[in-house]
Amino acid sequence: MPIRMPEPDRTIMARSVEIAKALRRLAPGARVIDHPDELRPYECDGLTAYRQPPMLVVLPQTAEEVSRILAWCHAESVKVVPRGSGTSLSGGALPLADCVLLSLARFNRILSIDYEDRLAVVQPGVTNLAVTQAVEHRGFYYAPDPSSQIACSIGGNVAENSGGVHCLKYGLTTNNVLGIELVLMSGEIVRLGGPALDSPGLDLLGLLVGSEGLLGVVTEVTVRILRKPETARALLIGFGTVDAAGACVAAIISRGIIPAGMEMMDRIAIHAAEAFVGAGYPLDVEALLIVELDGPEAECSHLLGEVERIATANGATEIRVSVDEAQRYLFWAGRKAAFPAVGRVSPDYYCMDGTIPRRRLPEVLARISGLSEHYGLAVANVFHAGDGNLHPLILYDASIPGELDKAEAFGADILRLCVEVGGVLTGEHGVGVEKRDLMPEMFSETDLDQQRRVKFAFDPKQLLNPGKVFPTLHRCAELGRIHIHHGAVPFPDLPRF
Ligand SMILES: Cc1cc2nc3c(=O)[nH]c(=O)nc-3n(C[C@H](O)[C@H](O)[C@H](O)COP(=O)(O)OP(=O)(O)OC[C@H]3O[C@@H](n4cnc5c(N)ncnc54)[C@H](O)[C@@H]3O)c2cc1C
């Protein structure tokens, strides 16, 4: 389904040679890409259904270069789309035909590590996993662990407030970032937060984390590093029904136990993962939970016993407890590789991301299965059960005309369902372009207007990552959120596209 993006400004596109020259002059250390063949790799992110090569790509190396580039683009009204590693699943880094794509790939250095204060200062292009790799020899790690951690950048994690398996206990990116350096669209360089646990004034750092590249370009990040727990043990628990697994998740949390991670996979996901990595998963179950407990040895073994009891009471048909680190990694290997594994059993899949109250898990999974029958498309569920963060993977074949549209309609119904049961449109992948037009399902006209005003305060000319997060106004009108009286459109100051 074609997605409506802001109309490209032909006068800007006609100036692309001049703009490339200006970028080279402003940032002599930066690499500027303008050849159509070399622009191709940047035409999409992880949401590959939408593609658009940018007008130009620039790869600066310092905050000062970013500042000069943004200030010039601001003065010349040129749009800028920031990009980390391009793994976003919501189209957050999708370029526009008239934009400069600003890649942070060359900001790839770890600047300092302070074990006493338990923090690391890193550039935004450093991959998530590289932070842990830099500190693990001293027994430390960086807790948020998206499944894409081998590739995704810390800057992208900040922009999307990314999560992962261990965020149930240790918090999302927002709980693990202490400070950032940010370049505003005007070119001004600002610092928010810092090495201390709190900073004076409004919590602008909290606002920036998860702002999807709409408010500024992150050029440095101070992250919290944690001591590796003394022990970590994982349980692999099989169930005859998805309902029973969902009930077990709710029972564990309501007992007051917060596992380090609690993930669920359904039959399709289990079989795909097992065929891919051979993790030894049981194949005669309908749902599998992986529950990890960590901490001091005594606490861990006590909680293991508790979780085993709860699982048995909730009808578990199989329970295995990891005996060593190799087995614990094996339990996780299938889960961590579940997305690519599903990619092997279907020509294409569409990964959704919505969050629901945990207690509604069984009902929501049953309704997703009903929608799957309605649309005639299979769905594999593999998700952060402890957080109620669902990731239904809708299987389809893009070469069959109309199947992508069907998959998108199915996905939109899933997200509406999440909102209907008291949840939210996204858990960790962001709104981007993917969920942009569903925003009025969740937010009132007033809510959206307030959010837009925050964006205006940072970027009054709407040049930074335009077309993302905020719904097109025609969509708001369709959904009855905008009342047009005698032809007078509300919010006349907002850009229309
Ligand atoms: C196989 C797979 C598994 C995944 N698993 C998870 C998961 O478990 N949890 C999870 O949360 N996500 C997951 N993701 C999604 C994705 O990896 C995350 O959203 C990640 O944080 C994106 O980082 P990136 O560097 O690739 O950012 P990009 O895709 O390049 O950009 C994402 C957004 O951030 C903005 N941005 C990037 N860098 C900056 C910067 N320096 N300053 C300002 N804005 C910036 C971009 O404009 C864009 O809006 C997965 C993706 C894939 C492909």
Side-chain angles (χ1 to χ4, degrees), residues 82 84-88 92 147-148 153 156-157 159-160 162-163 212-213 216 218 428 465:
S85 303
T87 65
S88 164
S147 304
S148 52
S153 72
N157 291 178
E160 300 286 7
S162 296
E212 303 198 24
V218 177
E428 55 183 17
N465 216 2

Side-chain angles (χ1 to χ4, degrees), residues 111 121 179-182 189-195 205 219-222:
L111 300 175
V121 181
I180 55 173
E181 179 187 73
L182 181 79
I189 302 179
V190 295
R191 282 189 170 270
L192 303 175
L205 180 60
T219 46
E220 189 188 289
V221 188
T222 303

Side-chain angles (χ1 to χ4, degrees), residues 34 69 123 134-135 175 193 228 259 314 339 383 409 424:
D34 53 4
I69 291 167
Q123 292 191 319
V135 297
N175 309 106
K228 273 183 88 174
N314 280 277
F339 286 14
F383 58 96
V424 291

Side-chain angles (χ1 to χ4, degrees), residues 23-71:
L23 294 176
R24 289 189 177 104
R25 191 186 65 244
L26 289 161
R31 176 150 159 57
V32 177
I33 298 174
D34 53 4
H35 192 285
D37 292 348
E38 292 180 14
L39 293 172
R40 277 276 164 211
Y42 297 93
E43 69 182 0
C44 68
D45 55 21
L47 185 66
T48 53
Y50 302 116
R51 290 165 193 268
Q52 170 61 61
M55 177 175 66
L56 296 165
V57 176
V58 61
L59 294 101
Q61 263 180 311
T62 66
E64 289 67 32
E65 286 176 347
V66 173
S67 163
R68 284 197 294 271
I69 291 167
L70 291 188

Side-chain angles (χ1 to χ4, degrees), residues 241-304:
T241 65
V242 170
D243 269 18
C248 183
V249 169
I252 291 171
I253 299 285
S254 66
R255 181 80 181 80
I257 300 170
I258 305 293
M262 182 153 55
E263 301 285 304
M264 196 196 287
M265 295 163 78
D266 71 4
R267 173 175 274 275
I268 296 184
I270 298 165
H271 282 249
E274 183 56 24
F276 189 31
V277 297
Y281 289 167
L283 297 177
D284 56 348
V285 296
E286 288 301 317
L288 198 59
L289 279 186
I290 307 174
V291 182
E292 182 162 298
L293 299 156
D294 67 6
E297 175 67 51
E299 179 187 331
C300 238
S301 36
H302 169 70
L303 291 178
L304 276 174

Side-chain angles (χ1 to χ4, degrees), residues 134-201:
V135 297
E136 62 191 354
H137 66 287
R138 293 279 299 264
F140 284 82
Y141 75 116
Y142 176 59
D145 53 348
S147 304
S148 52
Q149 67 185 148
I150 191 169
C152 65
S153 72
I154 288 291
N157 291 178
V158 170
E160 300 286 7
N161 188 18
S162 296
V165 162
H166 289 98
C167 292
L168 174 62
K169 183 167 180 182
Y170 296 103
L172 296 158
T173 301
T174 192
N175 309 106
N176 289 277
V177 167
L178 293 166
I180 55 173
E181 179 187 73
L182 181 79
V183 186
L184 302 180
M185 192 62 214
S186 61
E188 191 183 343
I189 302 179
V190 295
R191 282 189 170 270
L192 303 175
L197 286 182
D198 199 6
S199 52

